[in-house]
Amino acid sequence: MLKVEEALDIIRRESKDKCPTREAVIDASPLAAHKSDNPPHGYITSTDTFAVENVPNYRASIKDGYAVVSADGPGSYPVVSVSVMGKGSHLSHLKPGEITRVTTGAPVPEGADAVVQVEDTELVRANDAGDEVEVRILTQVKPGDDIRPVGSDTKTGEIVLPKGTLIKSAEMGLLVSQGIRKIPVNEKPRVAILSTGDELVTLNVAELQYGQVRDCNSYTLSYLLKEDGFAVSSFKHIPDSFEDTLAALQEATMNADIILSTGGVSMGETDHIKSALAHLGGVIHFGRVFMKPGKPTTFATLPKDTLYFGLPGNPVSTMVTYKLFVLPALKTWQGDFSVPETIAVSLPESRNLDPRPEYIRAVYNKGVTGNQCSSRLLSMRDANILLQLPARSDGVSQLLEGTPIKAMVIGKI
C-alpha cells in the first residue's frame, strides 16, 4: 500500500497543467458583480497582472489638517483655500506664508510640502459664515510629513497580482482600484459525483426498508465542494451492475474533468468500479492507501485527461479522503499549488495506535469528537482539525495525553 505522501505526489503530478483559461469580467455595479456568470472572484490568475494607474494619482493628505510650506514654521497664517476629496482640481499654487485646509485623502496643493494635523493648530479668526480665515500652526513639520506621494500605494507597471493568485476580496478591490475589468483566469474543473450501491435511497423515500441507507455522501461531497469554491456539474446514482457502472463512467468522462464516486471500490463482489475503469482504458495509479480511515481510496486517470477518485463508502472516510486527496487535486488542477495547513497541537487524550497512520477528528483546543468509527458522521460535526497519529511500531504502541503531534486544519479554528 502507498503512504499518504506517496499518493499525494501521484495526484499532484497527474493534476498539473490541465485547466484551460478564460477572460473573467468584473461588472461595473457591485451588486451585479455578485450575480455575474463570469466573475474573477474565487479563480486563479493565469498571468501576471500589472498596475495601469498610480494609486494615489495625486499627492494626498493622510490626515485632516492644513497643507503648509514646512520652511514657514509655527505661526499664524491665512487660510487661502480648502481641499476636499474629489474637488482638488481648482487649487492654486500655495505660496510661502499661506495654508490650505485639507481633509483626509484630499489633494495637497502644489507648493505645499507637508501637512500639519488639526490637533496641532488653533483657530485665530473666522468670518461671519464660520469659514476659517486665519489659523495658528503650533508645531514644526518637515517636508513630506503626512502626505501620500503619487504611486505610494501602487505604482504604474508593478505587479499587483502575480500569476497563480487566488482572487479574493482584497484582490477584487485591487483590480477595481486599477480600473481593470477584464482579467485572464484559470477555469475550475467540472466535477461529477457518482454514488454506487443498491442499498442507497434518496430523501424522497419516507421510510427506510431493511438494509437501506440514505445517500448522505452525495450531499456531503456537494457541500464540501461548494464550501471550497467548486461546483458539481452532474450527479448520478449507479445500481450495483457492471453495465450501469460502465455507462455512468462513460457519460461522466464526457461532462466532467474530475469524477468522484463513493463506494464500490472495496473488495466486495458487487463492487464494479475498478473493472469498469480498466474497460475504459483507465490507468489505476493506486487502489489502497496506508491510512485509517480511507484505506480503499482509488485514484485513476481516464482518456480525455479525466481524473477519477473512488472514495470509500463510509461517510467519515468520504470526508477525510476528500480533504486529504480530492481538494489538493482540485486546487492543483486550477493552478493553486498551496498545501493544506498543518499546526502543532498536544494530543488531548491518550490513545492506542493503529497499525496504520490514523486521522482522528477533533475540535481545536477542545478534544476528540467521540467514537471514531468511520461510519459515524457525528464525529465530523464541529471537527476543525484532523489529528495525525503515526502507525503503531514495535517500540511505540500508545501516545500519551499531551504528546506533541501535528494536525491538519479542515475548518475554521
Side-chain angles (χ1 to χ4, degrees), residues 304-354:
K304 298 187 177 180
D305 284 335
T306 305
L307 306 181
Y308 168 82
F309 286 90
L311 308 182
N314 275 327
V316 173
S317 301
T318 296
M319 293 190 73
V320 170
T321 52
Y322 170 87
K323 290 292 187 181
L324 281 170
F325 301 124
V326 177
L327 185 55
L330 292 165
K331 289 184 173 183
T332 301
W333 195 97
Q334 68 161 350
D336 178 358
F337 303 109
S338 60
V339 297
E341 180 184 4
T342 58
I343 57 175
V345 298
S346 296
L347 187 63
E349 60 183 46
S350 298
R351 295 196 69 90
N352 293 326
L353 297 178
D354 191 84

Side-chain angles (χ1 to χ4, degrees), residues 242 246 271-280 284:
F242 173 78
L246 181 63
D271 295 335
H272 303 291
I273 288 286
K274 291 179 181 177
S275 298
L277 289 171
H279 187 84
L280 292 174
I284 299 177

Side-chain angles (χ1 to χ4, degrees), residues 49-54 154-158 160 175 177-180:
T49 302
F50 296 88
V52 294
E53 298 175 351
N54 285 317
T154 310
K155 288 188 179 296
T156 300
E158 76 171 289
V160 289
L175 291 170
S177 76
Q178 287 293 312
I180 298 172

Side-chain angles (χ1 to χ4, degrees), residues 3 38 52 97 122 125 135 141 166 179 212 220 231 260 290 292 295 316 332 349 368 372 377:
K3 295 179 180 179
N38 187 27
V52 294
E122 62 183 20
R125 185 162 51 94
V135 167
V141 291
L166 174 62
Q212 289 184 329
T220 302
L260 309 180
F290 189 52
K292 179 183 179 181
K295 177 181 175 181
V316 173
T332 301
E349 60 183 46
V368 174
Q372 295 290 297
L377 195 51

